[in-house]
C-alpha cells in the first residue's frame, strides 16, 4: 500500500473535461511536479495523506499573498480562479511542499503564459527591468532627500540603503529567532568525569596509560575518560549565519563611510556659501552709504539666493546625519550578535554549500534569501525576486512594454523625456517597481514650439461642466492605454490631428480582427477614434470648442504565426491599424519584432511638426 501523500491538481478549461493530474514530489530535492497550467485556467487541488492527519500542504493561491497551509481533506481547494483578476497567479514557477511528521516533500508546478513564449516573456521582463533602472538613480536620490549630484555614492549603494531600510525589521526578527534558538547538533565529545557510562577501546586505553596518574587506586578508579553526547552549534547552517552577519556589517560600514564623505563635502559647500554671504553683506553695507539702488537690489537678490542655498544644503546635511544615525543603529545590532560567544566560535569564511536543513528552516531560509537579494544588488544584477515587475500580470507587463517602446521611439526622434513617472523630479512618492494609472509623461526638444504628452491609462471625464480648462472627454467612459498628443507651448492642440491612440491587447488574432463579425473590442476602438477634446481657449474666443483630434488608433498585440504582422481595418482602413509585437533580448542590437512598423506610424504622426531647428514662431 502506497503511504506517500498525494497532491491532486484538477485543471478546468472551457469546453473540455477537467484534467486530473497527480503531482510528482520528492524528499531529497525540489522536483518538477509535471503539472503545467495556463494562466487563465481554473485549478483546484486536493490533498490526501492517509497515514498522517496532521500533515500540511504549503502552497500559494490566487487570493492570498502569503503561502497558505492546507490539511488533508477530500474537499478540493481552489488555487487559481480562471479569471483575469488583480490577484491571479502570473506565469512562472510555483513551489509547494508537504510536511509530514517524519518527511518533507518538495515540488513545483508551472503556470504558462497564454500569449507569449517563455523566451518572449523573459525578454519582456528583462526589458522592463532595464527601463525601470534607467532613471531610477535620480528618483532614489530624490526619495532620500539627496538633491545635489553625488560623487561618492553610486546607484547600487543607494539601492543598498533602501534595501536595508525596507527589510531591517524582517532581518532583525529572523536573526533574533535564530540567536535565541539556533539549529544544534549532537556530537560525541571525550571528557573526564566521575561516572562511567559507556566504555570503549579509547577510554580503556586512557585508563591504562594515564588513568593511574590521576587515580589514587587504579583498581577502583574515581575518574573516567569517556565519550558523552553534547549539543553544539558548530554546523554549516550557523556558519552561514556568521558569514551573513559579517556580510551585512561590511555593507553597512561601506555605506556609512560613503555618507560620511558626502556629509563632509556638503559641509565644505556650506562653508563656501557662508563666506560668499559674508562678502555680499560687506558689499551691501558699503553700498548703503552711497545709495546705489540698482546695486542694492542686485546684492539683496544675491543674499536671498545664497541664504536659500545654505538652507537647502543644511537640510540635505540633516538628512545625511539622519541616515547615518539609522546605519549606526543597525550596525550596533549586527555587531552585538557578531560578538556573541557561539557566533565567535564559528569560522567567518563563506560556506561552500547550502544544506537542505537550512532551506527547510523558515528563519534560516529567509535570512539567506535576504542576503542573496543584497548580494544581487551589490553585484549589479537586475533579476531581483523583490522587484514589482516579476509579479505583474502578463497583459499588464505587455502594456508597460508598449509604453517603454513608445518612449524609445520618441527618444529616437530626438525628444527628451523631461517629466512624469521615472523622470519626475518633484514627486518623491512615484513608484519604481510599477507604472501607476493616470500617469502623464512629457517629452520636448530644446528651442521648439511644442511638446508631446503621453498619457497612460488615464480616466476621462464623461461631461463638460467646468469650461475653464481644456481636456479630453468621453461619454462612454473609455480609458485608452496610451494616448499621445502634440501640444503647442501655449497649451493648445498643435493641429486638427494632434492625437494618436496606442492600445495593447493580449488576445488571439481572431478575437481582435474578424471580417465576418465585429469583435467586442471594435466598439472600444471606435470610441477611441471618436475621442473628443474640449478646447477652453477656443470656447473663450467664441470658436468651436469641441474637436476630434485622434488621427489614428493603433492596436498592438502579441506575434502569432500565420498572421500578417501589420493589417489595416477592413472598414476603417489605416485609421485603425493592427501591429504584432514580440519582445526580444533587450541587450541585443536588433529591435523587437514590430518595433519598426510602429515607429514608422509614429514618425508619420510626428511629421506634422514643421519647424526649423533652433528657432520657432509661436
Amino acid at each position: 500500500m502506497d503511504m506517500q501523500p498525494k497532491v491532486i491538481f484538477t485543471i478546468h478549461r472551457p469546453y473540455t473535461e477537467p484534467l486530473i493530474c497527480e503531482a510528482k514530489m520528492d524528499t531529497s530535492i525540489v522536483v518538477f511536479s509535471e503539472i503545467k497550467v495556463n494562466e487563465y485556467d481554473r485549478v483546484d487541488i486536493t490533498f490526501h495523506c492517509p497515514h498522517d492527519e496532521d500533515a500540511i500542504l504549503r502552497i500559494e493561491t490566487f487570493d492570498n499573498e502569503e503561502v497558505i497551509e492546507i490539511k488533508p481533506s477530500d474537499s478540493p481547494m481552489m488555487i487559481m480562479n480562471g479569471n483575469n483578476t488583480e490577484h491571479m497567479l502570473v506565469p512562472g514557477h510555483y513551489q509547494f511542499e508537504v510536511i509530514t511528521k517524519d518527511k518533507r516533500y518538495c515540488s513545483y508546478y508551472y503556470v504558462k503564459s497564454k500569449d507569449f513564449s517563455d523566451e518572449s516573456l523573459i525578454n519582456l521582463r528583462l526589458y522592463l527591468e532595464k527601463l525601470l533602472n534607467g532613471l531610477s538613480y535620480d528618483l532614489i536620490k530624490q526619495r532620500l532627500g539627496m538633491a545635489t549630484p553625488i560623487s561618492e555614492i553610486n546607484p547600487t549603494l543607494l539601492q543598498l540603503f533602501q534595501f536595508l531600510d525596507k527589510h531591517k525589521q524582517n532581518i532583525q526578527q529572523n536573526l533574533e529567532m535564530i540567536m535565541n534558538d539556533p539549529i544544534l547538533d549532537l556530537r560525541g565529545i571525550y571528557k573526564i568525569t566521575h561516572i562511567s557510562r559507556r566504555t570503549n577501546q579509547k577510554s580503556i586505553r586512557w585508563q591504562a596509560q594515564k588513568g593511574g596518574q590521576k587515580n589514587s587506586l587504579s583498581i577502583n578508579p574515581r575518574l573516567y575518560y569517556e565519550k558523552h553526547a553534547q549539543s553544539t552549534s558548530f554546523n554549516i547552517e550557523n556558519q552561514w549565519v556568521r558569514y551573513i552577519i559579517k556580510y551585512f556589517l561590511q555593507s553597512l560600514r561601506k555605506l556609512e563611510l560613503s555618507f560620511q564623505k558626502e556629509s563632509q563635502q556638503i559641509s565644505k559647500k556650506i562653508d563656501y556659501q557662508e563666506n560668499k554671504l559674508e562678502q555680499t553683506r560687506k558689499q551691501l553695507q558699503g553700498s548703503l552709504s552711497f545709495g546705489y539702488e540698482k546695486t542694492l537690489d542686485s546684492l539683496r537678490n544675491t543674499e536671498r539666493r545664497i541664504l536659500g542655498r545654505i538652507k537647502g544644503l543644511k537640510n540635505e546635511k540633516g538628512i545625511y546625519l539622519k541616515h547615518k544615525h539609522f546605519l549606526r543603529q543597525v550596525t550596533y545590532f549586527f555587531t552585538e550578535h557578531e560578538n556573541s560567544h557561539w557566533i565567535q566560535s564559528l569560522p567567518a569564511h563563506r560556506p561552500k554549500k547550502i544544506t537542505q536543513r537550512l532551506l527547510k528552516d523558515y528563519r534560516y531560509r529567509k535570512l539567506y534569501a535576504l542576503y542573496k537579494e543584497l548580494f544581487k544588488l551589490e553585484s549589479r544584477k537586475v533579476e531581483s525576486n523583490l522587484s514589482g515587475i516579476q509579479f505583474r500580470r502578463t497583459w499588464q507587463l505587455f502594456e508597460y512594454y508598449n509604453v517603454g517602446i513608445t518612449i524609445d521611439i520618441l527618444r529616437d526622434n530626438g525628444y527628451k523625456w523631461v517629466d512624469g513617472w521615472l523622470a519626475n523630479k518633484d514627486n518623491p512618492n512615484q513608484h519604481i517597481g510599477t507604472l501607476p494609472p493616470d500617469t502623464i509623461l512629457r517629452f520636448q526638444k530644446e528651442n521648439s514650439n511644442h511638446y508631446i504628452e503621453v498619457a497612460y491609462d488615464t480616466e476621462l471625464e464623461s461631461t463638460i461642466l467646468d469650461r475653464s480648462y481644456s481636456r479630453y472627454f468621453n461619454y462612454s467612459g473609455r480609458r485608452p492605454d496610451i494616448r499621445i498628443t502634440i501640444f503647442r507651448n501655449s497649451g493648445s492642440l498643435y493641429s486638427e490631428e494632434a492625437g494618436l491612440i496606442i492600445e495593447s491587447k493580449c488576445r488571439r488574432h481572431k478575437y481582435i480582427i474578424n471580417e465576418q463579425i465585429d469583435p467586442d473590442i471594435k466598439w472600444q476602438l471606435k470610441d477611441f477614434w471618436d475621442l473628443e477634446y474640449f478646447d477652453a481657449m477656443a470656447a473663450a474666443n467664441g470658436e468651436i470648442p469641441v474637436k476630434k483630434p485622434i488621427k489614428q488608433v493603433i492596436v498592438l498585440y502579441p506575434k502569432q504565426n500565420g498572421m500578417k504582422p501589420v493589417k489595416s481595418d477592413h472598414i476603417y482602413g489605416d485609421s485603425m491599424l493592427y501591429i504584432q509585437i514580440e519582445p526580444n533580448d533587450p541587450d541585443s542590437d536588433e529591435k523587437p519584432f514590430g518595433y519598426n512598423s510602429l515607429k514608422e506610424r509614429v514618425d508619420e504622426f510626428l511629421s506634422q511638426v514643421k519647424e526649423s531647428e533652433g528657432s520657432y514662431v509661436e
Side-chain angles (χ1 to χ4, degrees):
M1 181 178 178
D2 184 9
M3 299 298 287
Q4 179 173 313
K6 294 182 179 180
V7 179
I8 309 297
F9 283 69
T10 304
I11 304 166
H12 302 269
R13 290 170 180 157
Y15 315 116
T16 59
E17 290 293 320
L19 181 63
I20 301 174
C21 309
E22 181 181 343
K24 181 180 177 183
M25 299 184 295
D26 200 291
T27 56
S28 57
I29 57 172
V30 179
V31 297
F32 177 43
S33 66
E34 299 183 358
I35 307 291
K36 292 182 181 180
V37 301
N38 296 321
E39 60 181 321
Y40 296 108
D41 288 343
R42 180 166 74 85
V43 180
D44 299 330
I45 57 165
T46 311
F47 176 39
H48 299 290
C49 193
H51 65 289
D52 188 354
E53 294 182 355
D54 295 325
I56 294 171
L57 166 64
R58 304 182 78 248
I59 195 167
E60 290 184 62
T61 68
F62 73 99
D63 61 349
N64 198 315
E65 293 184 1
E66 301 295 329
V67 173
I68 66 166
E69 295 185 351
I70 302 172
K71 292 284 189 179
S73 172
D74 292 329
S75 301
M77 171 80 180
M78 185 189 299
I79 61 168
M80 293 173 60
N81 69 352
N83 296 322
N84 185 0
T85 64
E86 184 178 353
H87 302 292
M88 63 189 290
L89 297 182
V90 300
H93 296 95
Y94 290 86
Q95 187 174 330
F96 60 93
E97 60 181 0
V98 172
I99 304 167
T100 67
K101 57 187 175 185
D102 54 359
K103 289 183 179 179
R104 184 186 296 258
Y105 300 83
C106 298
S107 187
Y108 68 92
Y109 65 98
Y110 174 49
V111 178
K112 188 178 186 301
S113 170
K114 180 176 72 73
D115 301 300
F116 294 95
S117 67
D118 292 348
E119 183 180 359
S120 294
L121 195 59
I122 290 170
N123 288 332
L124 190 152
R125 285 176 171 158
L126 287 174
Y127 172 87
L128 292 172
E129 292 278 8
K130 189 173 181 180
L131 173 69
L132 292 176
N133 281 326
L135 287 178
S136 62
Y137 178 34
D138 288 336
L139 186 52
I140 291 171
K141 288 195 299 181
Q142 184 74 22
R143 281 182 169 181
L144 297 178
M146 303 168 184
T148 56
I150 298 175
S151 57
E152 294 293 331
I153 305 181
N154 59 36
T156 304
L157 278 174
L158 291 177
Q159 289 174 318
L160 181 63
F161 179 85
Q162 280 197 314
F163 175 88
L164 291 168
D165 188 27
K166 179 179 179 181
H167 299 290
K168 178 188 73 170
Q169 187 174 3
N170 206 340
I171 294 167
Q172 288 182 345
Q173 286 176 348
N174 286 285
L175 188 54
E176 288 281 10
M177 287 191 291
I178 291 171
M179 299 300 290
N180 293 332
D181 185 21
I183 292 175
L184 299 176
D185 290 337
L186 284 177
R187 291 188 179 176
I189 298 174
Y190 282 90
K191 61 181 181 179
I192 298 174
T193 63
H194 294 280
I195 302 172
S196 176
R197 291 181 177 176
R198 181 182 297 173
T199 60
N200 57 20
Q201 290 294 328
K202 189 171 182 178
S203 59
I204 293 171
R205 187 164 56 251
W206 179 88
Q207 196 66 253
Q209 295 176 354
K210 300 180 181 179
Q213 301 170 14
K214 297 181 180 293
N215 297 316
S216 57
L217 295 172
S218 58
I219 299 173
N220 187 21
R222 291 180 294 103
L223 300 174
Y224 304 90
Y225 185 67
E226 295 181 2
K227 191 176 185 180
H228 294 265
Q230 182 172 314
S231 62
T232 176
S233 58
F234 197 101
N235 51 48
I236 291 177
E237 293 78 23
N238 291 323
Q239 190 177 335
W240 267 112
V241 173
R242 166 138 202 210
Y243 175 75
I244 290 170
I245 290 174
K246 174 186 171 185
Y247 191 88
F248 274 114
L249 278 171
Q250 287 174 342
S251 301
L252 286 161
R253 286 161 185 156
K254 190 191 306 179
L255 267 172
E256 190 172 354
L257 181 61
S258 297
F259 280 10
Q260 179 66 33
K261 287 180 180 178
E262 293 302 324
S263 182
Q264 290 170 354
Q265 290 296 321
I266 293 173
S267 294
K268 290 179 182 178
K269 291 175 184 177
I270 292 172
D271 291 342
Y272 174 73
Q273 293 294 332
E274 286 179 339
N275 287 333
K276 280 180 63 178
L277 180 63
E278 185 179 351
Q279 293 171 8
T280 302
R281 284 176 171 169
K282 285 179 179 178
Q283 287 180 290
L284 193 58
Q285 288 296 325
S287 299
L288 286 172
S289 59
F290 295 103
Y292 294 120
E293 291 300 324
K294 288 186 178 179
T295 304
L296 286 172
D297 289 342
S298 175
L299 287 170
R300 283 170 181 150
N301 287 333
T302 301
E303 182 185 33
R304 280 194 293 271
R305 285 198 302 271
I306 293 172
L307 285 170
R309 180 69 177 137
I310 290 172
K311 181 181 178 182
L313 287 168
K314 285 184 175 179
N315 287 340
E316 192 171 356
K317 183 177 179 180
I319 290 167
Y320 273 108
L321 294 175
K322 178 183 172 184
H323 293 336
K324 279 178 63 182
H325 179 68
F326 162 77
L327 288 173
R328 284 180 179 173
Q329 284 182 320
V330 182
T331 301
Y332 176 77
F333 169 80
F334 281 105
T335 303
E336 194 176 29
H337 289 311
E338 186 186 43
N339 292 333
S340 65
H341 175 71
W342 72 269
I343 287 288
Q344 284 292 319
S345 67
L346 297 164
H349 57 79
R350 186 181 186 276
K352 293 182 179 179
K353 64 178 182 178
I354 298 293
T355 65
Q356 283 294 314
R357 189 163 62 165
L358 182 147
L359 296 175
K360 289 177 181 179
D361 189 302
Y362 176 83
R363 306 164 303 164
Y364 285 77
R365 184 175 72 243
K366 190 65 179 176
L367 188 67
Y368 177 75
L370 290 165
Y371 150 73
K372 289 292 287 183
E373 286 301 322
L374 185 59
F375 179 77
K376 285 177 183 178
L377 280 178
E378 293 203 297
S379 304
R380 297 179 180 271
K381 294 182 179 179
V382 298
E383 58 273 16
S384 168
N385 290 331
L386 298 175
S387 167
I389 284 299
Q390 179 147 354
F391 304 105
R392 298 282 155 196
R393 291 160 289 169
T394 308
W395 65 263
Q396 200 170 25
L397 292 176
F398 191 53
E399 285 184 6
Y400 289 11
Y401 185 83
N402 292 332
V403 172
I405 59 176
T406 301
I407 291 169
D408 288 344
I409 290 171
L410 290 173
R411 282 173 157 174
D412 285 348
N413 275 279
Y415 288 92
K416 185 179 179 182
W417 184 7
V418 296
D419 196 24
W421 192 28
L422 299 180
N424 195 333
K425 301 296 188 297
D426 301 321
N427 187 354
N429 299 315
Q430 285 280 41
H431 302 286
I432 289 180
T434 184
L435 174 56
D438 295 310
T439 293
I440 305 292
L441 315 179
R442 180 167 171 154
F443 297 81
Q444 64 186 48
K445 294 180 179 179
E446 290 185 7
N447 301 318
S448 67
N449 66 344
H450 70 285
Y451 64 90
I452 293 177
E453 180 183 276
V454 177
Y456 168 71
D457 193 20
T458 53
E459 186 172 355
L460 302 180
E461 296 179 30
S462 58
T463 56
I464 298 299
L465 298 177
D466 187 345
R467 299 169 65 86
S468 64
Y469 63 98
S470 303
R471 73 276 203 187
Y472 281 95
F473 68 99
N474 189 322
Y475 293 114
S476 59
R478 303 292 193 186
R479 333 174 35 127
D481 291 334
I482 303 170
R483 188 186 72 240
I484 306 174
T485 310
I486 308 173
F487 290 99
R488 294 189 181 277
N489 288 341
S490 62
S492 61
L493 291 174
Y494 190 85
S495 71
E496 295 297 316
E497 293 185 329
L500 177 70
I501 299 292
I502 299 177
E503 184 71 6
S504 303
K505 292 297 177 189
C506 272
R507 289 197 183 188
R508 308 308 296 169
H509 182 95
K510 64 181 179 179
Y511 298 119
I512 299 176
I513 309 170
N514 192 325
E515 296 187 11
Q516 278 69 48
I517 184 172
D518 278 349
D520 60 333
I521 70 164
K522 179 64 75 69
W523 299 101
Q524 182 188 39
L525 300 177
K526 284 163 62 177
D527 287 340
F528 290 158
W529 191 58
D530 288 331
L531 201 64
E532 294 178 296
Y533 183 85
F534 176 76
D535 189 334
M537 284 186 273
N541 295 329
E543 302 170 3
I544 297 173
V546 176
K547 302 174 181 179
K548 289 188 175 182
I550 302 303
K551 178 182 180 180
Q552 190 177 45
V553 175
I554 298 175
V555 180
L556 304 181
Y557 68 105
K559 180 184 177 185
Q560 293 162 34
N561 294 330
M563 303 298 174
K564 288 184 178 180
V566 180
K567 187 173 176 62
S568 301
D569 190 82
H570 66 287
I571 296 175
Y572 295 92
D574 285 347
S575 296
M576 202 173 288
L577 201 65
Y578 306 90
I579 299 177
Q580 294 184 2
I581 295 288
E582 183 175 55
N584 69 333
D585 184 351
D587 293 324
S588 72
D589 294 330
E590 295 182 7
K591 296 293 185 182
F593 181 87
Y595 178 91
N596 290 330
S597 298
L598 177 62
K599 185 176 185 302
E600 182 182 335
R601 273 67 187 186
V602 175
D603 289 353
E604 183 183 339
F605 167 70
L606 296 174
S607 67
Q608 62 186 280
V609 177
K610 299 183 184 298
E611 63 184 29
S612 59
E613 285 294 326
S615 65
Y616 66 88
V617 178
E618 187 62 62

